[in-house]
């Protein structure tokens, strides 16, 4: 048989196919996105010109703003852009009607409105923030030009809504029809892959192979995934009825995943504290039960978890959970033969209580995951949504910054009567809105200024040396395409997103021809100078006026993190665990992003999150145990052990609101007193963790105590001031 030529053999080889598919999953997705941006932009521009809309560039800019790699994101962003545009246009018409004859009052009212919207953008999550952004700068972008001709304000608002609607329709059509990348597919893939990574993380921890750095890095990853999946879930309802039917289960799955990570972290931290205190014989007594669970999870670690896999996992965990009480009693009998102290027995019981709760939550997670295979399922009923938590100081700072910029630039415009002053003011309003929801508004505004300056250089050449010589729409597209490709490519790279956004939006603002093109180099240059000046002022304000990445905000976010323990003590019990989990993780996710480049700050915040989750979760479990106690004199409200727990709660509130050595010592004394009161109380049930409520209560109290004395905790610096506390810990 004649061998095939080398080029044909290469085409039939697996190497180039593997390389092609790797490229298609990475850079290929970016180039598909750029192609769709080009197609949607040119379709929108052509329709806007054919329909003789006053400003076709506005419709084209809408494409650049709402276009996203995934179609669900385009739908969601378009929806909130439309709502924001309506709100901003309505406010603009109202302000023009009230203050058309008084520029100062109009600018002051506009500054307040933009400030409110910027605060809302910083307060909200995902594309809801974008709706606030649009509501703010739409009022400025329509209202400031209309101030010279108030009688045309209403029609200006109508035209803008129509132009933006055209851009939205074209963007969603192209995104959904041509090589669609769906958010629902991304979410399914993320859900399937996430558990495999977590299972590997758990098996390593159960076998004692987990390192501190890897443990912290994995937790940061799980936090980011929980917040990111909540964003994806809110997007998928716009594009996929299949996922919309499962919206409650997806929300539940994310909540349960946060719960199992907290459960396992608590168990892992307890084991590490035992190892750190040299209590290896206690760890050895606990180890057999941990090994059993690790063997159950071995078949699922490091691989995707599909719905059938989840059903098998649920069955295996149910079997393990059913035999766990008997296994614990056997291991406890062996352990007691070694003559352990009361504290060591309490460590043993606490570890297995945490393990049982972890397995129970893991079983529930597997059942929810398996239920995704069904169109309808009873687990769909879930009324504990992800609850974000934003520091109100950060939101207020964004609003104050935006209002200040508008007042300063508006005053400069009024004082100097600079013809391009309106452009400077409205571009500043757009920039401060677009950067409000980012962790570093200074960097975002400066990058947008760089992109705008680049757009000015390219636009000057195209506007005055190329456009006068071309004829017809196809040639116009050929001339615009390189700029759009460059801007889209930069916008797809997170480190250059601001440059790409500035190039796309403000090149189009100043250089894309309207139906009636005016070639005026003086106005062109003045407008671009005004744009860059407005952005640079926004960058300076972001660096000077209450910057969000400064120490003052880290400290307040740390206070908010500690305040979640107070919330766990005083919040309404129904749905408290889910709200506590999501609020704490959302705060840490924000703080971690704002402290980028500050590893010491990030490490401290992460340590606070661990102790907050450990103590807060134990408190919630204590409250749940007390809420379901049977009617018996041993469990009465007046019992000394219940009074001691209430005293402990007040001591913990003082400690986490104002951590210091005195409050830590007071909290430790209160916890010890509560443990002694529980131990001194008789109850009418067998003293096993699956039958004795007081044994479970004592385990949670003991875990709170070990968390407060953890040498890796931020509270350790206060514990070192109390030699008595350290002696007790040893």
């Amino acid at each position: 048989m004649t061998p095939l030529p080398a080029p044909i053999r290469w085409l039939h080889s697996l190497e180039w196919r593997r390389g092609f598919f790797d490229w298609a999953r990475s850079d290929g997705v970016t180039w598909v996105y750029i192609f769709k941006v080009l197609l949607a932009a040119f379709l929108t521009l052509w329709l806007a010109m054919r329909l003789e809309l006053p400003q076709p560039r506005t419709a084209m800019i809408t494409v650049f703003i709402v276009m996203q790699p995934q179609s669900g994101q385009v739908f969601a962003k378009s929806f909130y852009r439309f709502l924001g545009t309506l709100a901003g246009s309505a406010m603009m018409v109202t302000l023009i009607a009230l203050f058309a004859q008084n520029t100062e009052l109009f600018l002051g009212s506009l500054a307040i409105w933009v400030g409110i919207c910027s605060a809302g953008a910083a307060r909200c999550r995902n594309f809801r923030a974008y709706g606030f952004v649009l509501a703010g700068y739409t009022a400025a972008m329509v209202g400031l030009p209309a101030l010279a001709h108030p009688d045309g304000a209403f029609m200006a608002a109508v035209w803008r809504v129509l132009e933006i609607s055209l851009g939205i329709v074209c963007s969603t059509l192209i995104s959904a029809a041509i090589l669609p990348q769906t958010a629902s597919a991304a979410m399914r893939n993320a859900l399937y892959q996430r558990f495999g990574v977590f299972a590997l993380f758990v098996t390593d921890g159960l076998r004692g192979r987990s390192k501190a750095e890897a443990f912290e890095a994995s937790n940061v990853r799980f936090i980011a995934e929980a917040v990111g999946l909540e964003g994806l879930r809110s997007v998928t309802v716009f594009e996929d009825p299949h996922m919309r039917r499962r919206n409650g289960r997806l929300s539940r799955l994310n909540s349960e995943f946060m719960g199992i990570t907290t459960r396992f972290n608590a168990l892992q931290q307890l084991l590490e504290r035992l190892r750190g205190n040299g209590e290896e014989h206690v760890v050895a007594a606990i180890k057999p039960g941990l090994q059993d669970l690790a063997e159950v999870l071995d078949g699922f670690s490091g691989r995707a978890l599909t719905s059938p896999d989840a059903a098998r996992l649920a069955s295996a965990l149910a079997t393990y959970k059913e035999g766990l009480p008997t296994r614990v009693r056997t291991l406890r009998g062996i352990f007691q033969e070694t003559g352990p102290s009361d504290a060591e027995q309490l460590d043993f019981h606490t570890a297995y209580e945490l393990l049982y709760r972890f397995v129970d939550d893991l079983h529930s997670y597997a059942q929810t995951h398996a239920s995704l295979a069904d169109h309808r399922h009873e687990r769909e009923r879930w009324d504990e949504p992800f609850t974000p938590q934003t520091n109100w100081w950060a939101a207020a700072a964004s609003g104050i910054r935006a209002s200040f910029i508008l007042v300063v630039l508006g005053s400069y415009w009024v004082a100097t009567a600079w013809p391009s002053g309106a452009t400077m003011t409205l571009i500043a309003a757009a920039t401060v809105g677009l950067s409000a929801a980012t962790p570093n508004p200074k960097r975002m505004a400066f990058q947008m200024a760089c992109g705008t300056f680049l757009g000015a250089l390219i636009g000057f050449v195209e506007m005055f040396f190329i456009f006068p010589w071309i004829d017809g729409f196809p040639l116009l597209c050929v001339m615009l395409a390189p700029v759009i490709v460059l801007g889209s490519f930069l916008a797809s790279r997170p480190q250059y997103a601001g440059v790409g956004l500035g190039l796309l939006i403000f090149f189009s603002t100043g250089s894309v021809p309207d139906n009636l093109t005016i070639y005026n180099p003086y106005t062109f240059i003045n407008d671009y100078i005004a744009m860059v000046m407005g952005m640079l002022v926004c960058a300076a304000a972001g660096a000077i006026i209450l910057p969000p990445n400064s120490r003052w905000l880290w400290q307040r976010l740390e206070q908010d993190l500690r305040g979640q323990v107070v919330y766990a003590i005083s919040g309404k019990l129904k749905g408290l665990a889910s709200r506590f989990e999501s609020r704490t993780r959302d705060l840490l996710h924000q703080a971690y992003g704002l402290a980028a480049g500050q590893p010491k700050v990030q490490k401290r915040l992460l340590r606070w999150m661990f102790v907050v989750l450990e103590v807060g979760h134990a408190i919630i479990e204590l409250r749940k145990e007390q809420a379901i106690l049977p009617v018996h004199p041993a469990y009465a409200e007046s019992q000394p052990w219940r009074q001691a727990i209430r005293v402990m709660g007040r001591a913990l509130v003082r400690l986490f609101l104002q951590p210091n050595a005195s409050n830590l010592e007071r909290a430790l004394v209160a916890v010890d007193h509560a443990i002694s009161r529980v131990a001194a109380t008789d109850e009418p049930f067998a003293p096993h963790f699956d039958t004795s409520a007081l044994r479970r209560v004592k385990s949670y109290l003991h875990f709170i105590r070990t968390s407060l004395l953890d040498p890796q905790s931020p509270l350790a610096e206060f514990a070192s001031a109390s030699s008595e506390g350290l002696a007790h810990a040893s």
Side-chain angles (χ1 to χ4, degrees), residues 571-609:
K572 183 180 177 182
L573 189 57
K574 179 176 170 47
L576 179 60
S578 179
R579 295 194 303 274
F580 170 77
E581 293 278 0
S582 55
R583 284 163 58 118
T584 304
R585 280 172 168 75
D586 191 49
L587 280 168
L588 191 277
H589 183 65
Q590 294 172 63
Y592 218 79
L594 292 173
Q598 300 285 337
K600 290 184 178 179
V601 175
Q602 289 180 324
K603 189 177 185 67
R604 179 177 173 84
L605 289 167
L606 189 62
R607 294 290 185 182
W608 269 119
M609 187 207 70

Side-chain angles (χ1 to χ4, degrees), residues 2 37 53 76 104 108 167 174 185 299 325 334 346 375 379 385 425 501 590:
T2 305
V37 170
L53 298 178
E104 291 79 6
I174 296 299
I334 298 172
L346 194 51
H375 284 298
R379 300 185 80 84
T425 306
L501 196 62
Q590 294 172 63

Side-chain angles (χ1 to χ4, degrees), residues 294-612:
E295 291 172 6
V296 171
L297 295 177
D298 277 338
F300 303 91
S301 61
R303 50 170 292 189
L305 185 76
T306 62
S307 296
D309 290 334
R312 289 193 299 107
L313 175 62
S315 176
L317 288 171
T319 302
Y320 174 83
K321 186 173 71 169
E322 184 179 355
L324 185 58
T326 303
R327 178 71 162 149
V328 171
R329 288 168 194 152
T330 302
L331 292 173
R332 186 180 63 188
I334 298 172
F335 181 53
Q336 286 178 337
E337 292 175 0
T338 65
S341 66
D342 291 342
E344 290 171 341
Q345 290 189 66
L346 194 51
D347 286 328
F348 180 90
H349 295 149
T350 301
Y352 271 109
E353 174 63 26
L354 292 172
L355 179 65
Y356 184 84
R357 295 297 182 187
F358 171 62
V359 172
D360 187 51
D361 287 353
L362 195 58
H363 179 239
S364 180
Y365 176 88
Q367 288 180 310
T368 305
H369 198 297
S371 73
L372 294 176
D374 301 326
H375 284 298
R376 291 183 177 84
H377 199 277
E378 61 180 1
R379 300 185 80 84
E380 181 69 21
R381 295 193 295 271
W382 181 255
D383 59 351
E384 299 179 16
F386 186 95
T387 307
Q389 178 75 7
T390 306
N391 183 275
W392 71 270
W393 270 106
S398 293
I400 292 169
R401 195 181 307 120
S403 296
F404 178 80
I405 291 170
L406 265 291
V407 168
V408 169
L409 295 184
S411 300
Y412 178 80
W413 171 38
V414 172
T416 61
W418 183 24
S420 295
T423 300
M424 178 178 64
T425 306
L426 67 89
I427 293 302
T431 304
V432 77
L434 290 170
S435 62
T438 62
N440 194 337
K442 175 194 69 174
R443 182 172 180 268
M444 184 67 172
F446 182 74
Q447 284 195 348
M448 290 176 67
C450 294
T452 303
F453 181 72
L454 179 60
L457 298 178
I458 299 173
F460 187 84
V461 174
E462 295 212 355
M463 176 67 77
F464 300 106
F465 296 97
I466 297 178
F467 289 166
W469 296 96
I470 64 175
D471 183 24
F473 188 77
L475 282 178
L476 176 63
C477 293
V478 170
M479 293 298 102
L480 294 177
V483 185
I484 296 174
V485 169
L486 176 61
S488 300
F489 180 78
L490 292 174
S492 68
R493 296 292 185 264
Q495 64 269 35
Y496 303 116
V499 178
L501 196 62
L503 176 59
L504 286 173
I505 294 176
F506 299 107
F507 169 81
S508 301
T509 300
S511 305
V512 172
D514 286 327
N515 274 322
L516 178 60
T517 305
I518 299 175
Y519 295 95
N520 186 337
Y522 301 104
T523 302
F524 180 93
I525 293 171
N526 267 280
D527 283 349
Y528 267 111
I529 290 174
M531 291 182 198
V532 174
M533 282 182 59
M535 293 176 189
L536 291 177
V537 169
C538 291
I544 297 171
I545 304 173
L546 303 175
N549 59 341
S550 60
R551 184 177 300 275
W552 73 273
L553 186 55
W554 301 337
Q555 292 173 344
R556 279 154 184 79
L557 286 170
E558 183 183 300
Q559 290 175 7
D560 286 353
L561 267 176
R562 298 199 308 266
Q564 296 310 301
V565 174
V566 181
Y567 179 68
I569 294 171
S570 59
K572 183 180 177 182
L573 189 57
K574 179 176 170 47
L576 179 60
S578 179
R579 295 194 303 274
F580 170 77
E581 293 278 0
S582 55
R583 284 163 58 118
T584 304
R585 280 172 168 75
D586 191 49
L587 280 168
L588 191 277
H589 183 65
Q590 294 172 63
Y592 218 79
L594 292 173
Q598 300 285 337
K600 290 184 178 179
V601 175
Q602 289 180 324
K603 189 177 185 67
R604 179 177 173 84
L605 289 167
L606 189 62
R607 294 290 185 182
W608 269 119
M609 187 207 70
F610 284 140
V611 70
V612 164

